[in-house]
Amino acid sequence: SQQGEEDPQALSIQEGENATMNCSYKTSINNLQWYRQNSGRGLVHLILIRSNEREKHSGRLRVTLDTSKKSSSLLITASRAADTASYFCATDEGNTPLVFGKGTRLSVIA
Amino acid sequence: NAGVTQTPKFQVLKTGQSMTLQCAQDMNHNSMYWYRQDPGMGLRLIYYSASEGTTDKGEVPNGYNVSRLNKREFSLRLESAAPSQTSVYFCASSGQGGSEQYFGPGTRLTVT
């Protein structure tokens, strides 16, 4: 299994600060995705980055991918209390099911 | 457009009882998935169906069976529930393997 590993496991920041979460994986991938899960809810897709891409933006989200280091980072800028959630990375090897990491729990304090 | 729906939302079973979790999607997706989520464990894939008429085992298939009833519906059956199957179960769908997945709201199952 090439399960992604998120780091840190938990992160607590003040509203307005930036939050950075990291994901490392073990083998070659086709795509890497990030998902958010609010407490008691299903996961919601945030962003997909392909193995030949190095950076992608979506609103306040910035994702980077370094395939040489087998790692990705998710940056949330100017965080809000509503960003409080768990964040998961997920990888695939090409038309295969996603494999999810264990997640980072982000708390944004107002 | 409801996306992915799951029933029931909550269920309590006694050890040895059986039940079926239902999942349906209205996005015309080919692929559907069943996951379980336990505290500190992330999501683990139980079974998936890459297309109508096919099913494959995931990481943790023991104790479960699935049926891809048609393109819309993918059910998960517990034949003889065990306390170790206490978990939150999520169904998801995607256009194809590796693409963005859409998740249902989950079923919280407790086996006593």
Side-chain angles (χ1 to χ4, degrees), chain B residues 72-104:
Chain B
R72 289 187 65 247
E73 297 172 288
F74 189 38
S75 63
L76 178 72
R77 183 160 179 84
L78 286 71
E79 289 291 352
S80 179
S84 61
Q85 294 178 305
T86 293
S87 189
V88 181
Y89 291 85
F90 289 100
C91 177
S93 70
S94 68
Q96 62 185 42
S99 61
E100 173 184 350
Q101 290 190 10
Y102 293 80
F103 282 78

Short mmCIF file of all heavy atoms in Angstrom, two decimals, chain B residues 72-104:
data_model
loop_
_atom_site.label_atom_id
_atom_site.label_comp_id
_atom_site.label_asym_id
_atom_site.label_seq_id
_atom_site.Cartn_x
_atom_site.Cartn_y
_atom_site.Cartn_z
N ARG B 72 -26.38 2.94 -10.83
CA ARG B 72 -26.64 3.91 -9.77
C ARG B 72 -26.36 3.38 -8.37
O ARG B 72 -26.01 4.14 -7.48
CB ARG B 72 -28.10 4.35 -9.82
CG ARG B 72 -28.50 5.22 -10.98
CD ARG B 72 -29.94 5.71 -10.77
NE ARG B 72 -30.06 6.57 -9.60
CZ ARG B 72 -30.72 6.27 -8.49
NH1 ARG B 72 -31.32 5.08 -8.37
NH2 ARG B 72 -30.81 7.11 -7.49
N GLU B 73 -26.57 2.08 -8.16
CA GLU B 73 -26.65 1.58 -6.79
C GLU B 73 -25.55 0.56 -6.47
O GLU B 73 -25.26 -0.34 -7.28
CB GLU B 73 -28.02 0.94 -6.56
CG GLU B 73 -29.17 1.93 -6.69
CD GLU B 73 -30.51 1.21 -6.65
OE1 GLU B 73 -30.85 0.52 -7.64
OE2 GLU B 73 -31.20 1.34 -5.64
N PHE B 74 -25.01 0.68 -5.26
CA PHE B 74 -23.92 -0.19 -4.81
C PHE B 74 -24.17 -0.46 -3.34
O PHE B 74 -24.09 0.46 -2.52
CB PHE B 74 -22.59 0.52 -5.04
CG PHE B 74 -21.37 -0.32 -4.82
CD1 PHE B 74 -21.32 -1.65 -5.19
CD2 PHE B 74 -20.22 0.24 -4.28
CE1 PHE B 74 -20.17 -2.41 -5.02
CE2 PHE B 74 -19.07 -0.50 -4.10
CZ PHE B 74 -19.04 -1.83 -4.47
N SER B 75 -24.49 -1.70 -2.99
CA SER B 75 -24.84 -2.00 -1.60
C SER B 75 -23.73 -2.79 -0.92
O SER B 75 -22.98 -3.53 -1.56
CB SER B 75 -26.16 -2.79 -1.54
OG SER B 75 -26.02 -4.04 -2.19
N LEU B 76 -23.67 -2.63 0.40
CA LEU B 76 -22.68 -3.32 1.23
C LEU B 76 -23.42 -4.16 2.24
O LEU B 76 -24.27 -3.64 2.98
CB LEU B 76 -21.80 -2.29 1.94
CG LEU B 76 -20.74 -2.85 2.90
CD1 LEU B 76 -19.60 -3.51 2.13
CD2 LEU B 76 -20.19 -1.73 3.79
N ARG B 77 -23.11 -5.44 2.33
CA ARG B 77 -23.81 -6.33 3.25
C ARG B 77 -22.87 -6.90 4.29
O ARG B 77 -21.74 -7.34 3.96
CB ARG B 77 -24.49 -7.47 2.49
CG ARG B 77 -25.29 -8.40 3.39
CD ARG B 77 -26.32 -9.19 2.64
NE ARG B 77 -27.04 -10.08 3.52
CZ ARG B 77 -28.11 -9.70 4.27
NH1 ARG B 77 -28.55 -8.46 4.23
NH2 ARG B 77 -28.71 -10.57 5.05
N LEU B 78 -23.35 -6.85 5.52
CA LEU B 78 -22.68 -7.52 6.64
C LEU B 78 -23.51 -8.75 6.95
O LEU B 78 -24.67 -8.62 7.37
CB LEU B 78 -22.59 -6.63 7.86
CG LEU B 78 -21.60 -5.47 7.84
CD1 LEU B 78 -22.02 -4.38 6.90
CD2 LEU B 78 -21.42 -4.93 9.26
N GLU B 79 -22.99 -9.93 6.72
CA GLU B 79 -23.77 -11.16 6.91
C GLU B 79 -23.91 -11.53 8.38
O GLU B 79 -24.95 -12.00 8.81
CB GLU B 79 -23.12 -12.32 6.16
CG GLU B 79 -23.23 -12.23 4.65
CD GLU B 79 -24.66 -12.43 4.14
OE1 GLU B 79 -25.55 -12.78 4.94
OE2 GLU B 79 -24.89 -12.20 2.94
N SER B 80 -22.85 -11.32 9.15
CA SER B 80 -22.86 -11.67 10.57
C SER B 80 -22.01 -10.63 11.29
O SER B 80 -20.79 -10.78 11.37
CB SER B 80 -22.31 -13.08 10.77
OG SER B 80 -22.30 -13.41 12.14
N ALA B 81 -22.67 -9.58 11.76
CA ALA B 81 -21.94 -8.44 12.29
C ALA B 81 -21.11 -8.80 13.52
O ALA B 81 -21.53 -9.62 14.36
CB ALA B 81 -22.91 -7.32 12.63
N ALA B 82 -19.94 -8.15 13.61
CA ALA B 82 -19.04 -8.33 14.75
C ALA B 82 -18.71 -6.96 15.33
O ALA B 82 -18.74 -5.96 14.60
CB ALA B 82 -17.76 -9.03 14.29
N PRO B 83 -18.40 -6.90 16.63
CA PRO B 83 -18.06 -5.60 17.24
C PRO B 83 -16.94 -4.87 16.50
O PRO B 83 -16.91 -3.64 16.47
CB PRO B 83 -17.65 -5.99 18.66
CG PRO B 83 -18.45 -7.22 18.94
CD PRO B 83 -18.49 -7.98 17.64
N SER B 84 -16.02 -5.63 15.86
CA SER B 84 -14.92 -5.01 15.13
C SER B 84 -15.40 -4.24 13.89
O SER B 84 -14.64 -3.48 13.28
CB SER B 84 -13.90 -6.07 14.69
OG SER B 84 -14.53 -7.01 13.83
N GLN B 85 -16.66 -4.44 13.52
CA GLN B 85 -17.22 -3.73 12.38
C GLN B 85 -17.93 -2.44 12.78
O GLN B 85 -18.50 -1.74 11.94
CB GLN B 85 -18.18 -4.64 11.60
CG GLN B 85 -17.45 -5.80 10.94
CD GLN B 85 -18.37 -6.75 10.20
OE1 GLN B 85 -19.33 -7.28 10.77
NE2 GLN B 85 -18.08 -6.99 8.92
N THR B 86 -17.88 -2.12 14.07
CA THR B 86 -18.34 -0.81 14.51
C THR B 86 -17.47 0.26 13.85
O THR B 86 -16.25 0.24 13.99
CB THR B 86 -18.25 -0.70 16.04
OG1 THR B 86 -19.19 -1.60 16.63
CG2 THR B 86 -18.53 0.72 16.51
N SER B 87 -18.10 1.15 13.12
CA SER B 87 -17.35 2.12 12.33
C SER B 87 -18.31 3.10 11.68
O SER B 87 -19.53 2.99 11.81
CB SER B 87 -16.54 1.38 11.25
OG SER B 87 -15.64 2.25 10.60
N VAL B 88 -17.74 4.05 10.97
CA VAL B 88 -18.52 4.90 10.09
C VAL B 88 -18.23 4.46 8.66
O VAL B 88 -17.06 4.36 8.27
CB VAL B 88 -18.19 6.39 10.27
CG1 VAL B 88 -19.05 7.24 9.34
CG2 VAL B 88 -18.38 6.82 11.72
N TYR B 89 -19.28 4.20 7.91
CA TYR B 89 -19.14 3.69 6.55
C TYR B 89 -19.51 4.77 5.55
O TYR B 89 -20.55 5.41 5.65
CB TYR B 89 -20.04 2.47 6.35
CG TYR B 89 -19.56 1.28 7.15
CD1 TYR B 89 -19.93 1.12 8.47
CD2 TYR B 89 -18.72 0.34 6.58
CE1 TYR B 89 -19.47 0.05 9.22
CE2 TYR B 89 -18.25 -0.75 7.31
CZ TYR B 89 -18.63 -0.89 8.63
OH TYR B 89 -18.17 -1.94 9.36
N PHE B 90 -18.62 4.97 4.58
CA PHE B 90 -18.86 5.96 3.54
C PHE B 90 -18.90 5.28 2.18
O PHE B 90 -18.06 4.43 1.87
CB PHE B 90 -17.75 7.01 3.52
CG PHE B 90 -17.79 7.95 4.68
CD1 PHE B 90 -16.95 7.77 5.77
CD2 PHE B 90 -18.68 9.02 4.68
CE1 PHE B 90 -16.98 8.64 6.84
CE2 PHE B 90 -18.72 9.89 5.75
CZ PHE B 90 -17.88 9.70 6.84
N CYS B 91 -19.85 5.71 1.39
CA CYS B 91 -19.93 5.33 0.00
C CYS B 91 -19.43 6.52 -0.83
O CYS B 91 -19.63 7.68 -0.44
CB CYS B 91 -21.37 4.99 -0.36
SG CYS B 91 -21.63 4.59 -2.11
N ALA B 92 -18.79 6.23 -1.94
CA ALA B 92 -18.31 7.29 -2.82
C ALA B 92 -18.45 6.85 -4.27
O ALA B 92 -18.58 5.65 -4.55
CB ALA B 92 -16.86 7.66 -2.51
N SER B 93 -18.42 7.82 -5.16
CA SER B 93 -18.46 7.49 -6.59
C SER B 93 -17.52 8.41 -7.34
O SER B 93 -17.17 9.51 -6.87
CB SER B 93 -19.88 7.61 -7.15
OG SER B 93 -20.30 8.96 -7.20
N SER B 94 -17.10 7.97 -8.51
CA SER B 94 -16.25 8.79 -9.36
C SER B 94 -16.47 8.37 -10.81
O SER B 94 -16.96 7.29 -11.10
CB SER B 94 -14.78 8.64 -9.00
OG SER B 94 -14.30 7.34 -9.31
N GLY B 95 -16.05 9.30 -11.70
CA GLY B 95 -16.20 8.98 -13.12
C GLY B 95 -15.37 7.77 -13.51
O GLY B 95 -15.79 6.93 -14.29
N GLN B 96 -14.17 7.70 -12.92
CA GLN B 96 -13.30 6.55 -13.16
C GLN B 96 -12.31 6.49 -12.01
O GLN B 96 -12.20 7.43 -11.22
CB GLN B 96 -12.56 6.68 -14.48
CG GLN B 96 -11.62 7.87 -14.56
CD GLN B 96 -11.00 8.01 -15.93
OE1 GLN B 96 -11.67 7.85 -16.94
NE2 GLN B 96 -9.71 8.31 -15.96
N GLY B 97 -11.60 5.37 -11.92
CA GLY B 97 -10.63 5.23 -10.86
C GLY B 97 -9.57 6.30 -10.93
O GLY B 97 -9.07 6.62 -11.99
N GLY B 98 -9.22 6.88 -9.78
CA GLY B 98 -8.20 7.91 -9.73
C GLY B 98 -8.70 9.32 -9.91
O GLY B 98 -7.97 10.28 -9.69
N SER B 99 -9.93 9.49 -10.34
CA SER B 99 -10.47 10.84 -10.50
C SER B 99 -11.16 11.28 -9.21
O SER B 99 -11.27 10.52 -8.25
CB SER B 99 -11.42 10.91 -11.69
OG SER B 99 -12.52 10.04 -11.50
N GLU B 100 -11.64 12.50 -9.21
CA GLU B 100 -12.28 13.07 -8.03
C GLU B 100 -13.43 12.19 -7.56
O GLU B 100 -14.25 11.73 -8.36
CB GLU B 100 -12.81 14.45 -8.39
CG GLU B 100 -13.66 15.12 -7.34
CD GLU B 100 -14.21 16.43 -7.86
OE1 GLU B 100 -13.77 16.87 -8.94
OE2 GLU B 100 -15.09 16.99 -7.18
N GLN B 101 -13.48 11.96 -6.25
CA GLN B 101 -14.55 11.15 -5.69
C GLN B 101 -15.55 12.04 -4.96
O GLN B 101 -15.18 13.03 -4.32
CB GLN B 101 -13.99 10.10 -4.73
CG GLN B 101 -13.22 9.01 -5.44
CD GLN B 101 -12.85 7.85 -4.53
OE1 GLN B 101 -13.32 7.74 -3.40
NE2 GLN B 101 -12.02 6.95 -5.03
N TYR B 102 -16.80 11.62 -5.03
CA TYR B 102 -17.90 12.30 -4.35
C TYR B 102 -18.40 11.35 -3.26
O TYR B 102 -18.70 10.18 -3.54
CB TYR B 102 -19.02 12.63 -5.32
CG TYR B 102 -18.62 13.66 -6.34
CD1 TYR B 102 -17.88 13.29 -7.45
CD2 TYR B 102 -18.97 14.99 -6.19
CE1 TYR B 102 -17.50 14.22 -8.40
CE2 TYR B 102 -18.59 15.94 -7.14
CZ TYR B 102 -17.85 15.54 -8.23
OH TYR B 102 -17.46 16.47 -9.16
N PHE B 103 -18.51 11.88 -2.04
CA PHE B 103 -18.84 11.05 -0.90
C PHE B 103 -20.27 11.26 -0.43
O PHE B 103 -20.81 12.37 -0.50
CB PHE B 103 -17.90 11.35 0.27
CG PHE B 103 -16.56 10.72 0.11
CD1 PHE B 103 -15.60 11.27 -0.73
CD2 PHE B 103 -16.24 9.55 0.79
CE1 PHE B 103 -14.36 10.69 -0.90
CE2 PHE B 103 -14.99 8.95 0.64
CZ PHE B 103 -14.06 9.52 -0.20
N GLY B 104 -20.85 10.18 0.08
CA GLY B 104 -22.12 10.27 0.78
C GLY B 104 -21.91 10.77 2.21
O GLY B 104 -20.77 10.94 2.65
#
